[in-house]
Amino acid sequence: MDFRFTDEQTMTADVVRDLVADLCQPADLRRLMASGEPFDQNRWAKIQELGLQSALVAEEKGGLGLQPVDFVQVAEACGYACLPEPLVEAYGVAIPLLAETGSDAAAKVVEAALEGSALIAFGHPANPFVERADTADWLLIAKSGGLDLVKTSDAMCTLQPSIDPFRRLFSVQYDEAAALRIGAQSGIEGPIASAFDRGALFAAAQMLGIAQRCVDLAVDYAKERQQFGKPIGSYQALKHQLATVQVKIEFARPVLHAAAAMLPQANALSRARVSHAKLAACEAADLAARNAIQVHGAMGYSWEVDVHFFLKRAIALSEWWGGPAFHRRRVAERIFNGPLGPEHTFAKELEHA
Amino acid sequence: MDLNYTPEQQTFRQEIRAWLKAHVPSQPLESFDATRAGFEAHRAWERTLAEGRWGMVTWPESYGGRGLDLIQWLIFEEEYYRSGAPLRVNQNGIFLLGPTLMEYGTPEQKARFLSAMASGDEIWAQAWSEPQAGSDLAAVRATATRDGDNYVLKGHKIWSSRAAFADWAFGLFRTDPASERHKGLSLIFFRLDAPGVKVQPIPQIDGETGFAELFLDGVTVPVFNRLGGEGEGWKICMATAGFERGLMLRSPARFQVTARKLVELYKAHEDEVEPSVRNAVLQCWMDAEAYALSIYSTASRLIAGGHIGAEASTNKIFWSEMDIAMHKTALSILGARAELLRSAPEAGDIGRWLDGYFFSLAGPIYAGTNEIQRNIIAERMLGLPRA
């Protein structure tokens, strides 16, 4: 029992954290927004060079064979930066799923995706739209009973503008005859369910990053802004609000990390942990964003202050990959049917727990 | 990250589980805060624990412990609360003063105090607050005046938990009469039956006498009873507070057992309660799990050589607010019967939820109010300027 990240796990996240700290500051976000481009080409090229496309792909499928726990801090770093590019969704969710199907028909697409020469967007019934469908080369669409792999050029993608300027949502229609049905074989439900859990887990991770960023932005402002002759951050009313937010963050983080470590169990216990992580991170991000706006006062309600980018991403992610009602249901299933009590915190299976 | 217990840890769990099964009293003991008899029954239980060398498993064997690490301590606590064993009457000693003695005590002091603490022979109270020094603890006025090899204690301590029946107390005293605030304070031990000590129990909100005020009028104690250097009291007191808030005072198992009971209570009354109660129950269970995971994370870090920092304050806020939420939710499930005392003929199986609710209301106050904890988080974790 050792509830700490390994040096390798932390180093992987540090690389991404450093990269986005360098290339994904609010000024960069504003520049991209003004350009109307879907990607910051320079940043995306640098991200691709990291080679994380293959991170969660099994070694025998040409990947690094890492686990969600190796990737979760990467997703936190992406949330902290409000990263527009689809590092998390493509590398954390879509590519590993397509590789896991083992479909011969999809092998070439997987190969291209691992090289960075093909981009895959993933559609799941939990989400009403497909994010960044238009700029993907392939669409991987989960539906009951299987997976469709569709060339984006064979699909009709209709933009559904989001309040988050960097989330590009599309409704997607395609002729099923033109799709490659790669999930017809039995046993595809497991990989799709795991991909869903990764989606939810990494959304939670991003929200935790968002929450911490909101606190940090608020703290920076509260140290500078003076009223009544003192920095507003010296007043208890404000200190106590931000401390309350930080407590929320501190008790969402270990849940997130445990959920990441448990995810491969793929049972009711691990799914409840993922759902708990998403609920906790969602609450932390919501509280953090609203408090950050409050701390900034009227400035917080302005376009000029950067907090709204994080608020908007938090709003979007809280409902993406299952909203609170869905995740509460999974927690309820765990609680009302599983073993309870302190000796079961790290239980692996329901029967033998 | 490895969230699997080792075979040794699993064996250890089975060992303590079997021992508790054989030794935990079949009937709950009378409260240690209400009567001398209840207090002594809990002391007897501490002695039973000590005979099994379960008094304080993390302590070295030479002081009656087992030299185990914090993960094993968590396993011990999980089994302890799971078994329904009595609350620890000596928690001020074993969980607060003990670890501090281990760090700052001389070999002679450790030899003198630790074994007697682990065995239950000496039960400790704390004597920090004074009428004018609550949240502002550095306003302590009680003095310890050097007289050769002794100190003479004088002053008025209050809100001393367990002091009504305990044997010893540790408290902050001003050893430098010219000093102010955090300087010139020392941590000193004194017997509660020493000449010059008057113990005045204070009835609590529930009518029991869990704390007391202490009037000290010329109490002579040897210099040996000072922990750490003269004038180092504040630093040592803060280290004790770190342990208290941060880790040992409220082990997660306590809340996970409460959460389990809450789920059982909800299941038994599911058809009678309004729908929102269900979400409150889910939230309580999740919070108890989150607290447990957080403590495992902290324990792993401490084992690897880390130190407890401001998370002592985040922990204290989290568990105290969670404890209130759990009991409040239980009361809402019990409905109109919640107000009944357990002795009421119609009380049925309402359990101890009302007692627990009252006790939970003290949580945001003792061990440093949650307001003070929020100041600490804001200033030391977030780096906001002091007022």
Side-chain angles (χ1 to χ4, degrees):
Chain A
M1 178 66 62
D2 187 0
F3 202 129
R4 288 180 306 148
F5 286 101
T6 62
D7 290 344
E8 289 77 13
Q9 286 163 343
T10 301
M11 270 155 51
T12 307
D14 283 345
V15 170
V16 174
R17 207 174 286 128
D18 290 348
L19 191 149
V20 295
D22 227 18
L23 299 176
C24 192
Q25 287 299 330
D28 302 304
L29 294 176
R30 287 177 186 276
R31 199 174 314 116
L32 179 63
M33 189 168 59
S35 77
E37 296 291 323
F39 288 85
D40 179 317
Q41 293 299 346
N42 172 47
R43 186 167 59 221
W44 184 234
K46 292 259 168 36
I47 288 170
Q48 288 183 301
E49 283 167 20
L50 297 178
L52 289 172
Q53 295 89 326
S54 63
L56 299 183
V57 174
E59 286 181 82
E60 63 269 24
K61 304 259 164 61
L64 296 174
L66 299 182
Q67 297 294 324
V69 70
D70 301 303
F71 195 81
V72 66
Q73 294 185 103
V74 169
E76 284 178 66
C78 294
Y80 189 85
C82 204
L83 183 72
E85 289 78 25
L87 190 167
V88 173
E89 300 264 329
Y91 301 175
V93 187
I95 295 174
L97 170 61
L98 188 61
E100 197 181 349
T101 63
S103 152
D104 290 338
K108 278 209 163 9
V109 179
V110 172
E111 202 178 303
L114 293 183
E115 286 172 356
S117 59
L119 193 54
I120 303 168
F122 182 38
H124 186 281
N127 302 323
F129 307 110
V130 180
E131 208 195 342
R132 293 182 169 264
D134 65 330
T135 49
D137 302 288
W138 293 88
L139 306 174
L140 182 63
I141 309 292
K143 42 170 56 172
S144 60
L147 279 169
D148 283 351
L149 188 61
V150 191
K151 253 198 154 111
T152 307
S153 51
D154 291 339
M156 193 169 83
C157 301
T158 311
L159 181 68
Q160 308 285 343
S162 161
I163 185 69
D164 181 336
F166 308 109
R167 278 171 61 83
R168 300 168 50 81
L169 305 178
F170 293 86
S171 50
V172 169
Q173 285 176 302
Y174 59 91
D175 180 357
E176 295 200 0
L180 212 49
R181 203 72 207 280
I182 55 168
Q185 78 270 35
S186 62
I188 193 70
E189 293 84 2
I192 294 177
S194 288
F196 173 84
D197 279 336
R198 287 198 304 277
L201 178 83
F202 297 144
Q206 290 177 81
M207 284 193 284
L208 196 70
I210 288 168
Q212 192 61 61
R213 185 59 172 276
C214 288
V215 169
D216 292 354
L217 288 169
V219 165
D220 286 347
Y221 184 74
K223 284 193 217 170
E224 294 297 319
R225 169 72 175 165
Q226 304 242 343
Q227 286 288 274
F228 306 101
K230 284 188 201 164
I232 60 170
S234 65
Y235 297 113
Q236 275 193 329
L238 198 146
K239 279 182 179 168
H240 287 192
Q241 283 181 30
L242 290 175
T244 298
V245 178
Q246 193 63 40
V247 171
K248 277 261 186 246
I249 294 173
E250 295 302 316
F251 287 89
R253 191 184 295 121
V255 180
L256 175 75
H257 295 164
M262 289 172 74
L263 191 144
Q265 284 176 217
N267 59 19
L269 299 171
S270 62
R271 284 193 284 272
R273 200 61 98 202
V274 169
S275 288
H276 179 184
K278 183 130 195 294
L279 289 164
C282 181
E283 263 192 46
D286 170 61
L287 192 69
R290 286 189 288 112
N291 271 288
I293 290 170
Q294 182 69 20
V295 166
H296 282 83
M299 287 296 292
Y301 196 66
S302 76
W303 187 257
E304 182 187 330
V305 160
D306 300 317
V307 179
H308 66 91
F309 292 125
F310 299 92
L311 168 76
K312 290 165 183 172
R313 185 66 53 84
I315 289 171
L317 290 178
S318 68
E319 296 295 333
W320 208 248
W321 297 113
F326 170 86
H327 288 291
R328 234 174 250 125
R329 270 202 302 282
R330 293 212 309 188
V331 171
E333 272 168 41
R334 155 76 182 88
I335 294 179
F336 296 122
N337 302 301
L340 302 176
E343 69 275 32
H344 299 298
T345 310
F346 299 103
K348 301 282 176 272
E349 291 168 49
L350 278 181
E351 299 79 19
H352 310 292
Chain B
M1 187 173 294
D2 176 9
L3 302 187
N4 298 291
Y5 293 110
T6 63
E8 292 74 26
Q9 288 166 340
Q10 287 169 350
T11 307
F12 174 69
R13 183 186 292 283
Q14 295 310 321
E15 189 191 346
I16 174 64
R17 185 176 291 184
W19 188 90
L20 287 164
K21 193 157 187 262
H23 291 85
V24 169
S26 54
Q27 291 298 314
L29 305 183
E30 199 184 332
S31 163
F32 50 56
D33 281 337
T35 62
R36 171 59 77 180
F39 189 87
E40 292 305 326
H42 280 81
R43 188 201 296 274
W45 166 245
E46 289 295 321
R47 290 196 168 120
T48 305
L49 276 172
E51 281 159 20
R53 268 197 317 121
W54 296 110
M56 204 51 214
V57 293
T58 55
W59 290 8
E61 294 190 21
S62 48
Y63 303 126
R66 290 175 175 246
L68 303 182
D69 69 22
L70 285 173
I71 298 294
Q72 288 162 308
W73 173 72
L74 283 166
I75 294 169
F76 169 82
E77 290 283 298
E78 287 165 5
E79 292 303 317
Y80 191 87
Y81 280 100
R82 179 181 180 272
S83 74
L87 293 174
R88 304 297 298 270
V89 66
N90 207 11
Q91 61 181 12
N92 289 308
I94 54 180
F95 295 152
L96 307 186
L97 183 59
T100 319
L101 249 169
M102 212 77 78
E103 194 171 339
Y104 294 97
T106 63
E108 293 74 23
Q109 286 176 317
K110 292 182 198 178
R112 164 63 190 82
F113 292 112
L114 286 173
S115 301
M117 201 182 275
S119 67
D121 288 339
E122 293 179 344
I123 308 232
W124 287 77
Q126 50 172 288
W128 287 355
S129 296
E130 296 180 9
Q132 301 307 322
S135 283
D136 184 11
L137 190 57
V140 158
R141 291 180 191 170
T143 55
T145 310
R146 188 74 178 251
D147 178 16
D149 291 335
N150 293 322
Y151 285 113
V152 180
L153 310 182
K154 219 170 160 47
H156 182 184
K157 295 286 182 182
I158 195 166
W159 317 126
S160 298
S161 299
R162 296 300 97 69
F165 304 115
D167 308 300
W168 280 84
F170 57 95
L172 267 186
F173 292 87
R174 206 161 281 289
T175 36
D176 175 0
S179 68
E180 284 187 4
R181 308 292 302 158
H182 312 80
K183 300 195 179 91
L185 297 170
S186 299
L187 188 66
I188 294 175
F189 311 154
F190 55 98
R191 285 199 64 95
L192 285 163
D193 60 0
V197 179
K198 186 178 166 225
V199 179
Q200 179 72 52
I202 306 173
Q204 296 182 332
I205 205 168
D206 57 1
E208 293 192 1
T209 53
F211 44 39
E213 54 189 325
L214 308 173
F215 300 92
L216 307 173
D217 188 12
V219 182
T220 302
V221 302
V223 169
F224 179 76
N225 287 10
R226 188 192 70 223
L227 180 59
E230 197 172 88
E232 285 181 7
W234 184 260
K235 183 182 86 183
I236 296 170
C237 173
M238 288 302 107
T240 308
F243 263 96
E244 176 176 23
R245 291 165 198 153
L247 202 62
M248 295 210 141
L249 178 64
R250 291 291 173 257
S251 69
R254 176 190 182 117
F255 303 108
Q256 289 178 297
V257 167
T258 305
R260 189 196 74 213
K261 289 180 181 164
L262 180 63
V263 171
E264 286 160 4
L265 182 72
Y266 172 76
K267 279 180 166 172
H269 296 271
E270 198 174 349
D271 300 335
E272 305 151 33
V273 299
E274 59 176 326
S276 65
V277 173
R278 185 181 170 91
N279 279 356
V281 171
L282 297 183
Q283 192 61 53
C284 289
W285 181 82
M286 285 190 279
D287 286 349
E289 292 285 299
Y291 184 61
L293 294 168
S294 168
I295 296 294
Y296 266 91
S297 163
T298 303
S300 298
R301 209 169 45 72
L302 294 178
I303 288 171
H307 289 279
I308 198 152
E311 75 253 49
S313 295
T314 57
N315 286 357
K316 202 254 158 170
I317 289 171
F318 192 80
W319 64 247
S320 59
E321 294 183 349
M322 162 173 67
D323 202 28
I324 292 175
M326 290 202 283
H327 287 90
K328 187 110 186 77
T329 304
L331 295 191
S332 75
I333 294 171
L334 290 169
R337 291 196 309 154
E339 71 169 296
L340 292 182
L341 290 177
R342 289 204 306 143
S343 56
E346 297 269 324
D349 60 348
I350 63 170
R352 307 195 68 124
W353 291 106
L354 193 59
D355 297 344
Y357 179 59
F358 282 126
F359 185 63
S360 76
L361 295 181
I365 302 167
Y366 62 79
T369 66
N370 285 13
E371 286 72 20
I372 292 293
Q373 305 313 318
R374 286 188 161 86
N375 288 350
I376 293 172
I377 294 165
E379 289 164 16
R380 299 196 203 149
M381 251 177 127
L382 303 180
L384 288 168
R386 296 179 66 96

